[in-house]
Amino acid sequence: MAADELSTVDALAQLSFLVHNTLERRAAEQELSMIQTRLLGVLRDREPTMNELAALLELDKSSITGLVDRAQRRGLVERHPSPTDRRAVLVRLTATGRELVTVAAARFAGDVTALLAGLSATDRAALTRVLSRVLVSHAAEQGIDLFPTA
Amino acid sequence: MAADELSTVDALAQLSFLVHNTLERRAAEQELSMIQTRLLGVLRDREPTMNELAALLELDKSSITGLVDRAQRRGLVERHPSPTDRRAVLVRLTATGRELVTVAAARFAGDVTALLAGLSATDRAALTRVLSRVLVSHAAEQGIDLFPTA
DNA sequence: TATTGTTATACTCTATAACTATA
DNA sequence: TATAGTTATAGAGTATAACAATA
């Protein structure tokens, strides 16, 4: 029992690092660090202020200044004045930035799909079901509903 | 089918980041960065040279110098001359370093165990079986046998 | 007064290139 | 000559504290 439990923990940990390294590698192909990739990732469906970006990425606002500086210097994002608050700055993905993160994300998704390619349909379904259960109950413990009905 | 496949990929990716962040948080409790944690981790059952450390952590040897410098300054590792090669330096965990990495690893294992606590014995067994299958076949593709019989 | 963002500063982490000592 | 390790240097990434502009 204890041995079984340990090996589940171990398998999950190993697979997590494998998946993480896979993304890191695909991001590096686009000369993106993990944090730059996360920056572009959150900008795919948002146009946040520097402050909101700090909250989304869980970094200090002074760190966001440098992060956005470097991405902007590469032409991946743009700063725009907020129309409603003259103190605030809105950050937006450029076409180049969107292209880079889209390519990295697609290749990463392909890698994970390939990783699961050897599984039978039954095993894959079982994996999805169990992982979803873990994620939903973890989210619930954090007070988050992953599938809001409203 | 495509929707199912995507959601398996998504679930695996989400869970990977969750597990990774969990380790990062536990390491940070001991004031350890991820790379310092990996350094102490590989030293738990090895006493490698600087060069071997560079290979194990996939970093340049000049990066290892700084990494070990900082860990040594905190009293987490020690440098010792190699008895067989006067150019080489062996790196060894101190008791303090071992304590720190042991605590972080134990808490992390507890976190992952807790994450899986809501699963039935059946589900947990299914998860272990499927994840192991993925890991073994991935390792095989890399030419690695996870369970050498010799 | 409070908030938004930047700047100044300091530290970790990483790589490249040049170097020293030893093999 | 080749290898092991360090140093010098440069740049990304991060936080804290102080600041200017705006609310």
Side-chain angles (χ1 to χ4, degrees), chain A residues 20-39:
Chain A
H20 194 272
N21 292 343
T22 298
L23 176 55
E24 203 161 33
R25 209 153 275 153
R26 288 307 195 178
E29 285 181 355
Q30 314 294 315
E31 319 248 18
L32 293 174
S33 66
M34 282 298 269
I35 187 58
Q36 287 286 341
T37 305
R38 287 182 61 207
L39 169 65

Side-chain angles (χ1 to χ4, degrees), chain A residues 104-123:
Chain A
R107 289 181 183 172
F108 168 64
D111 289 336
V112 180
T113 299
L115 200 60
L116 303 176
L119 295 180
S120 66
T122 308
D123 280 356

